[in-house]
Amino acid sequence: MDSYTQSVHFFGRSNPEELVRKYGSPLFVYNEDILRRQMKRVAGLLPNHRFTSNFSIKTNSNLTILRIANEEGLNADAMSPGEIFVLKKAGFLSERIFYVSNNVSEEEMQYAIDEGVIVSVDSLSQLEMFGRLNRGGRLSVRINPGVGAGHHDKVVTAGKKTKFGVAAQDIEKIHDVAAQYDLHIIGLNQHIGSLFMDYKPFLEACRNFLHYAEEFDELEFLDFGGGFGTPYHKLADEQEFDIESFKKELDALLTEWKQQTGRDVLFKTEPGRYIVAESGVILGQVHAVKENYGHKYVGTDIGMNVLIRPELYDSWHDVEVYRDGQPVTGGEREVYSVVGNICESGDIVAKDRELPVIKEKDIVAVLDAGAYGFSMSSNYNNRLRAAEVLITSSGEDILIRRRETLDDLLRCFPNS
Ligand SMILES: *Cc1c(COP(=O)(O)O)cnc(C)c1O
């Protein structure tokens, strides 16, 4: 029986064992074909409209991946000066970067203005700040439509109980502040939440958003946000986000809006996870197999410093086991918790999973780790951040970020 990674030739001409031998463990491995496939899907979402898809790079800001996104014609969202900085290094022109700011200092706002990227402000007070810094400027305002969606409270990013955006009922006040500083509101954006597999609530939010747009005369673009889901339970046959049906319905909605209002603007979306999650796998090594009071544990080097999603959101990631370069799919099975090497009892990548019987030195592959994986990783316990490798379309493996060294841990100390 094939494993998932084998069925999609995830590791190209290599295999997990060789990769770990060559680059060390834990290791983020990305597959260029899957990455480009997803990028093409979002880039081609609305062929009948003026449209760009912005890659939300907080999901993954590896320079090589950003360069691939640039080649595939995606624009990009930045959430910080650091993201603007790396996007420019990756070759994105300012006009293709959208700064979705949230509670930023004047210095940060000024940085974005000086870099010539379009800024979205997230509150009336930040709208005033923008006005003070850049009277007469052009910008976008993030609207909070009062409803959200997502897989966990922590990733629902619109609605009456979230910190994001300007409440739709305050639209008059947006106009007041804009008038005071001669500002041009050329865009409106929203992002209602992350990881939905059912696009209906998203379409409803778009429909409402289009109504708000009618209250602004100078709009050049409307940005509907991201959040398109990834099938994290693919080993249990969870189906992909139905982008084809979504595409048709969104297209129809926008066509209808253009006809009814006689308006035409550039439409944008800003997916992140959908683009990169499935293209990434984390490889780790099994260093211990043990039983504590009836519970079996597989002790690996994939701690919460490497992948924090399971701890932060109770997220599920499928796990595969490799031995001698081959997936272990048949044979006896056991229920294990796959855990890391961090001094925290919550350091669990996969809880109570039925897996093939695991031995020391086996390799575990944590699937769908390309989004919010490396980008959320840390030096907790003074562990070194992992290396990243790309399996190119021709099946080669290339290093796209070196592993940190012990010296990197001392980089910021004045008298090391
Ligand atoms: C995080 C974020 C995104 C991307 O969300 P995904 O669920 O990864 O698609 C898009 N827009 C904004 C404003 C975000 O904060």
Side-chain angles (χ1 to χ4, degrees):
M1 194 173 67
D2 273 4
S3 68
Y4 162 76
T5 45
Q6 202 175 36
S7 71
V8 299
H9 305 292
F10 194 94
F11 301 107
R13 279 189 248 136
S14 193
N15 66 54
E17 198 173 16
E18 270 174 38
L19 291 169
V20 163
R21 200 179 316 125
K22 193 161 163 190
Y23 301 104
S25 177
L27 185 68
F28 282 83
V29 185
Y30 302 95
N31 180 292
E32 183 178 358
D33 283 342
I34 297 177
L35 191 61
R36 287 191 190 266
R37 178 192 75 199
Q38 295 300 92
M39 287 178 174
K40 285 187 167 65
R41 284 178 179 169
V42 296
L45 191 65
L46 291 172
N48 303 327
H49 302 271
R50 285 198 293 129
F51 172 70
T52 64
S53 200
N54 286 18
F55 174 29
S56 178
I57 76 154
K58 70 177 195 261
T59 52
N60 193 314
S61 53
N62 183 289
L63 216 48
T64 301
I65 290 179
L66 298 184
R67 290 192 178 118
I68 293 173
N70 197 15
E71 278 174 28
E72 292 291 343
L74 298 182
N75 285 8
D77 267 17
M79 307 277 156
S80 69
E83 290 192 350
I84 295 173
F85 176 77
V86 297
L87 278 166
K88 296 198 101 169
K89 289 281 175 213
F92 283 82
L93 301 174
S94 301
E95 59 264 33
R96 298 187 37 226
I97 303 173
F98 185 44
Y99 183 40
V100 186
S101 76
N102 178 241
N103 306 328
V104 301
S105 67
E106 290 195 354
E107 290 72 22
E108 286 196 16
M109 187 85 87
Q110 190 66 52
Y111 177 86
I113 294 166
D114 292 345
E115 288 294 322
V117 308
I118 294 288
V119 175
S120 134
V121 295
D122 194 50
S123 59
L124 293 168
S125 80
Q126 296 247 298
L127 180 61
E128 287 210 52
M129 181 200 278
F130 184 92
R132 287 197 304 275
L133 295 174
N134 196 24
R135 175 173 274 279
R138 295 148 49 85
L139 81 163
S140 182
V141 177
R142 179 164 176 174
I143 301 290
N144 181 331
V147 290
H151 69 100
H152 188 287
D153 281 350
K154 286 181 190 161
V155 301
V156 173
T157 50
K160 297 195 170 79
K161 289 185 179 161
T162 69
K163 69 168 182 170
F164 294 104
V166 179
Q169 69 209 40
D170 287 337
I171 285 180
E172 266 319 301
K173 294 183 189 153
I174 297 176
H175 289 305
D176 293 344
V177 179
Q180 196 184 335
Y181 294 95
D182 298 325
L183 297 173
H184 302 279
I185 311 286
I186 59 156
L188 290 184
N189 52 304
Q190 70 172 11
H191 173 62
I192 64 166
S194 197
L195 216 190
F196 48 82
M197 299 306 280
D198 172 10
Y199 57 78
K200 296 281 182 198
F202 183 87
L203 282 178
E204 272 319 296
C206 292
R207 194 181 291 280
N208 282 331
F209 190 58
L210 290 165
H211 287 306
Y212 303 136
E214 288 161 30
E215 298 180 45
F216 292 82
D217 298 330
E218 294 183 283
L219 288 187
E220 294 174 12
F221 68 84
L222 279 175
D223 181 336
F224 300 109
F228 318 160
T230 294
Y232 283 102
H233 291 266
K234 52 171 55 63
L235 299 188
D237 290 329
E238 185 184 7
Q239 296 305 299
E240 288 182 55
F241 178 69
D242 184 0
I243 197 148
E244 286 306 316
S245 307
F246 172 57
K247 193 170 159 166
K248 281 197 200 101
E249 292 195 38
L250 184 59
D251 175 68
L253 175 66
L254 300 180
T255 302
E256 183 191 295
W257 182 75
K258 289 204 288 199
Q259 279 165 358
Q260 280 176 359
T261 60
R263 298 181 68 169
D264 189 11
V265 296
L266 174 71
F267 296 117
K268 301 186 189 191
T269 57
E270 43 191 40
R273 183 193 314 275
Y274 183 80
I275 293 173
V276 280
E278 291 185 88
S279 71
V281 161
I282 303 172
L283 298 180
Q285 262 180 326
V286 176
H287 294 306
V289 182
K290 68 189 267 186
E291 183 168 336
N292 266 1
Y293 303 106
H295 290 279
K296 292 205 163 64
Y297 293 92
V298 175
T300 74
D301 50 10
I302 306 177
M304 61 199 283
N305 57 313
V306 181
L307 181 72
I308 200 166
R309 297 192 67 252
E311 291 79 9
L312 195 55
Y313 314 116
D314 285 325
S315 301
W316 177 284
H317 283 266
D318 280 333
V319 170
E320 290 186 342
V321 181
Y322 273 78
R323 185 174 303 149
D324 302 326
Q326 293 301 315
V328 185
T329 50
E332 257 186 273
R333 297 174 78 81
E334 279 280 8
V335 174
Y336 298 105
S337 286
V338 181
V339 299
N341 48 9
I342 296 295
C343 282
E344 297 264 353
S345 51
D347 183 31
I348 303 171
V349 192
K351 199 173 167 42
D352 296 334
R353 298 291 176 85
E354 198 192 284
L355 293 168
V357 171
I358 293 181
K359 300 187 194 161
E360 281 175 36
K361 296 202 164 57
D362 283 351
I363 288 177
V364 291
V366 176
L367 307 189
D368 305 315
Y372 306 105
F374 189 97
S375 67
M376 283 185 139
S377 70
S378 76
N379 287 123
Y380 188 41
N381 280 199
N382 263 4
R383 290 207 167 270
L384 306 177
R385 261 177 292 215
E388 295 181 293
V389 164
L390 181 71
I391 306 296
T392 66
S393 297
S394 56
E396 310 294 344
D397 47 278
I398 55 170
L399 185 67
I400 58 171
R401 183 189 316 242
R402 70 159 170 85
R403 186 174 303 282
E404 286 182 338
T405 63
L406 290 175
D407 281 336
D408 287 326
L409 294 175
L410 298 175
R411 243 180 349 201
C412 301
F413 297 108
N415 46 11
S416 59

